[in-house]
C-alpha cells in the first residue's frame, strides 16, 4: 500500500532576537517584527500547501529575550493550523530548561514538543514516528542521554535534530554528531537545525538543514527560507524536497573602489548608482570603501552615513582607503621618509614585473607606517 506524508521543515527563527548590531532603537524592533512576519508566512505556506505537519528543528525563540506577548502570538499562529500538528525540538537558544515556555505555557493541542525525557511522538493516523534530539540546557558538548529510537520500517520515521553535524567539534561543541552516527539511527528523514545557512547536499541520505528563514547578519548572505518535503513509501522510500524562500530582508556587504573618483560629488553619485541596483529601503548594507585616495577627495564616514541613511533601511560605511602620495615631492625631503622613498624608487626602477609590484606595495605600506604609525592590510 502506498503511503505519503508531507511537511514544512524550518528551524532557527529566533523570535525576539536582540539584533544588537542595530542598537536599542527602532531598527532592532523592525527586525523583530520581520521575524514575526516571516513566521506568519511559514504558517500561510503550511496552509496553502496543505501539509500534514510543521517541523521546527530548534531555536524557535530566544529564551533570554522572548516576551510573553510573543509566546501568546506564537500559540495563536499554531492555532491557525487547525488539526495540522506542529512538532518542535528545543535548541540551544530555547532549551527545555526549568522555566522554559515549553513547560509553563498551555500550548494548543496540535503542538508536540520532543524533549530528552520524552523524545517521541507518534501520529497514529498517518503512521509517522517523530524522535527529537535537542537541548535541555544552553550548552551541551555531547548528546543528551535518552531512550533510543524505535524504528519500524512500515511507518515513516523522522528525526528532529538540533546540533552540529561533522564539524570541528572543538570549535562548536553543540550536540556534535558524525554523519555515520546520524544515518546509523535509520530514520527516513532528518530535520536539522542550528546553522543559519541552508544545506541540502546530504538530501540523498535524507538530511536537510534549512537554515534560518530570515538572515541575521552580513555573514548570512545567500537565500533564506524553509523546505517543503514529501516522503512516499511504496516498495521503497521516495523523498522530494523544494526550497521556498521566506526572508523579508537581505544583508549585503559591498566593496566599493574609489581609485578613479575625483571628488566627493562624484563619490556620492557613484554610490547612489551602485545602491540603485538594490532595494535600499528594504535591505541592509555595509559598504567597504577601498583604493587610493587622491588629494581632492576626503572621506568622512559620518557624513556619508548621514547622506544615505534615509534612503536605506540600514547602511554603514567602513573606510579602508589609503592616501595617494606625491612621491616626487617626498623624495626631495631630507628626512627618513625622503631617504626611504629615494631608496625604494631606485629599487623599483631596476625591477620588473611582479617584483616591481611587490616593491610598490612595500613602498606604500612603508609610507603608511611612517605617517600613521600603523598599517592596514586589505586585499
Ligand atoms: Mn542553535
Amino acid at each position: 500500500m502506498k503511503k505519503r506524508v508531507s511537511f514544512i521543515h524550518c528551524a532557527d527563527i529566533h523570535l525576539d532576537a536582540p539584533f544588537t548590531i542595530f542598537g536599542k532603537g527602532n531598527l532592532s524592533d523592525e527586525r523583530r517584527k520581520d521575524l514575526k512576519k516571516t513566521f506568519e508566512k511559514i504558517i500561510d505556506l503550511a496552509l496553502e500547501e496543505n501539509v500534514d505537519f510543521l517541523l521546527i528543528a530548534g531555536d524557535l525563540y530566544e529564551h533570554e529575550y522572548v516576551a510573553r506577548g510573543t509566546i501568546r502570538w506564537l500559540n495563536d499562529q499554531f492555532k491557525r493550523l487547525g488539526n495540522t500538528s506542529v512538532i518542535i525540538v528545543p535548541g540551544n537558544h530555547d532549551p527545555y530548561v526549568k522555566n522554559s515556555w515549553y513547560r509553563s505555557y498551555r500550548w494548543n493541542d496540535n503542538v508536540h514538543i520532543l524533549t530528552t525525557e520524552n523524545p517521541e511522538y507518534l501520529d497514529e493516523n498517518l503512521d509517522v514516528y517523530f524522535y527529537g534530539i535537542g537541548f535541555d540546557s544552553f550548552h551541551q558538548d555531547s548528546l543528551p542521554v535518552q531512550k533510543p529510537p524505535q524504528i519500524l520500517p512500515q511507518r515513516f520515521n523522522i528525526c528532529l535534530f538540533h546540533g552540529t553535524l561533522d564539524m570541528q567539534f572543538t570549535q562548536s561543541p553543540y550536540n556534535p554528531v558524525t554523519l555515520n552516527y546520524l544515518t546509523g539511527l535509520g530514520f527516513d528523514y532528518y530535520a536539522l537545525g542550528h546553522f543559519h545557512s541552508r544545506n541540502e547536499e546530504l538530501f540523498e541520505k535524507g538530511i536537510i538543514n534549512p537554515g534560518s528563514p530570515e538572515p541575521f547578519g552580513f555573514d548570512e548572505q545567500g537565500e533564506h527560507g524553509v523546505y517543503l518535503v514529501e516522503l512516499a513509501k511504496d516498495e521503497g522510500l521516495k523523498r522530494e524536497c523544494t526550497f521556498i524562500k521566506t526572508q523579508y530582508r537581505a544583508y549585503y556587504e559591498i566593496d566599493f573602489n574609489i581609485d578613479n573618483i575625483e571628488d566627493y560629488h562624484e563619490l556620492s553619485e557613484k554610490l547612489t548608482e551602485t545602491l540603485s541596483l538594490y532595494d535600499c529601503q528594504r535591505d541592509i548594507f555595509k559598504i567597504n570603501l577601498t583604493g587610493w585616495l587622491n588629494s581632492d577627495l576626503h572621506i568622512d564616514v559620518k557624513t556619508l552615513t548621514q547622506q544615505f541613511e534615509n534612503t536605506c533601511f540600514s547602511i554603514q560605511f567602513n573606510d579602508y582607503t589609503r592616501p595617494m602620495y606625491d612621491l616626487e615631492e617626498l623624495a626631495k625631503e631630507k628626512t627618513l621618509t625622503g631617504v626611504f622613498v629615494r631608496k625604494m624608487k631606485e629599487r623599483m626602477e631596476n625591477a620588473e614585473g611582479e617584483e616591481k609590484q611587490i616593491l610598490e606595495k612595500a613602498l606604500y605600506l612603508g609610507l603608511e607606517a611612517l605617517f600613521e604609525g600603523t598599517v592596514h592590510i586589505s586585499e
Side-chain angles (χ1 to χ4, degrees):
M1 191 186 75
K2 191 164 180 171
K3 295 199 295 184
R4 49 177 68 239
V5 65
S6 69
F7 51 86
I8 298 274
H9 167 196
C10 67
D12 295 274
I13 297 101
H14 290 274
L15 292 166
D16 282 358
F19 286 100
T20 38
I21 72 154
F22 296 115
K24 285 205 155 84
N26 292 336
L27 290 189
S28 44
D29 282 346
E30 281 303 314
R31 288 299 284 142
R32 279 186 285 280
K33 282 186 202 155
D34 293 343
L35 294 184
K36 288 184 178 168
K37 276 191 248 175
T38 299
F39 192 73
E40 284 169 4
K41 224 187 270 180
I42 296 171
I43 300 288
D44 291 342
L45 207 58
L47 290 168
E48 279 161 31
E49 297 291 340
N50 198 22
V51 292
D52 300 312
F53 301 97
L54 171 64
L55 272 51
I56 305 174
D59 289 356
L60 169 57
Y61 59 79
E62 291 276 342
H63 177 87
E64 303 278 4
Y65 300 97
V66 74
R68 172 179 279 275
T70 299
I71 295 294
R72 209 180 299 130
W73 164 89
L74 181 59
N75 196 41
D76 287 343
Q77 294 304 314
F78 291 152
K79 270 185 203 161
R80 283 174 57 205
L81 289 172
N83 291 327
T84 302
S85 289
V86 181
I87 320 290
I88 301 172
V89 71
N92 56 307
H93 286 259
D94 56 351
Y96 201 67
V97 287
K98 275 204 177 113
N99 63 343
S100 164
W101 288 106
Y102 290 136
R103 286 179 196 261
S104 59
Y105 196 79
R106 244 195 89 109
W107 297 94
N108 202 37
D109 286 344
N110 64 335
V111 179
H112 306 281
I113 298 151
L114 312 177
T115 66
T116 302
E117 260 169 64
N118 223 335
E120 301 170 304
Y121 171 71
L122 178 65
D123 186 307
E124 285 173 19
N125 288 330
L126 295 165
D127 213 11
V128 186
Y129 170 76
F130 294 97
Y131 182 85
I133 306 172
F135 281 74
D136 44 23
S137 63
F138 289 95
H139 195 256
Q140 284 166 200
D141 51 23
S142 59
L143 292 187
V145 178
Q146 56 189 47
K147 65 179 286 194
Q150 304 283 317
I151 308 286
L152 295 181
Q154 68 271 25
R155 64 189 182 193
F156 290 106
N157 302 283
I158 297 175
C159 176
L160 281 77
F161 171 74
H162 192 90
T164 320
L165 172 62
D166 270 342
M167 292 280 292
Q168 298 288 339
F169 295 161
T170 46
Q171 280 176 359
S172 191
Y174 285 91
N175 272 359
V177 291
T178 61
L179 182 58
N180 280 345
Y181 174 83
L182 217 53
T183 52
L185 295 175
F187 286 93
D188 301 318
Y189 184 79
Y190 297 86
L192 266 51
H194 187 52
F195 287 98
H196 289 186
S197 48
R198 72 182 171 112
N199 191 331
E200 55 175 70
E201 278 168 32
L202 294 170
F203 184 57
E204 246 174 55
K205 297 183 195 303
I207 301 172
I208 281 184
N209 184 75
S212 57
E214 189 67 28
F216 286 88
F218 293 103
D219 54 344
E220 296 184 13
Q221 296 181 29
E223 291 192 316
H224 286 254
V226 302
Y227 277 85
L228 170 64
V229 182
E230 197 172 294
L231 306 178
K233 264 189 182 178
D234 193 358
E235 309 275 274
L237 172 69
K238 262 186 85 179
R239 309 181 185 103
E240 269 174 53
C241 77
T242 317
F243 173 73
I244 300 164
K245 195 174 158 181
T246 55
Q247 76 190 97
Y248 190 59
R249 296 182 209 275
Y251 289 76
Y252 294 104
E253 182 165 5
I254 301 166
D255 285 333
F256 187 89
N257 189 290
I258 54 104
D259 274 356
N260 298 312
I261 291 176
E262 298 289 333
D263 52 26
Y264 189 86
H265 178 72
E266 195 185 341
L267 172 67
S268 155
E269 266 185 357
K270 289 260 164 70
L271 278 169
T272 307
E273 211 177 289
T274 300
L275 287 169
S276 72
L277 305 172
Y278 298 84
D279 187 339
C280 290
Q281 292 289 350
R282 191 193 61 197
D283 292 333
I284 298 156
F285 298 90
K286 185 196 273 182
I287 313 278
N288 297 322
L289 302 166
T290 62
W292 299 105
L293 205 57
N294 78 57
S295 52
D296 292 330
L297 180 58
H298 291 279
I299 289 183
D300 178 16
V301 164
K302 220 173 144 186
T303 315
L304 274 174
T305 311
Q306 278 167 358
Q307 188 186 334
F308 286 96
E309 68 187 353
N310 291 328
T311 47
C312 300
F313 175 77
S314 168
I315 190 163
Q316 66 179 95
F317 290 93
N318 290 315
D319 182 6
Y320 297 124
T321 60
R322 295 187 199 168
M324 186 83 92
Y325 301 104
D326 186 340
L327 296 177
E328 297 305 320
E329 281 303 309
L330 288 175
K332 288 179 197 157
E333 281 184 17
K334 286 187 177 124
T335 58
L336 177 62
T337 306
V339 175
F340 174 65
V341 173
R342 285 198 294 280
K343 290 259 179 211
M344 289 303 282
K345 275 168 74 83
E346 207 178 285
R347 287 182 64 181
M348 279 161 67
E349 273 155 28
N350 296 320
E352 265 173 46
E354 201 187 352
E355 197 194 348
K356 197 167 181 158
Q357 280 175 15
I358 293 170
L359 284 167
E360 191 179 11
K361 205 169 174 181
L363 168 62
Y364 283 103
L365 285 174
L367 284 172
E368 199 177 343
L370 284 163
F371 288 125
E372 294 175 38
T374 177
V375 288
H376 305 94
I377 311 280
S378 71
E379 272 318 306

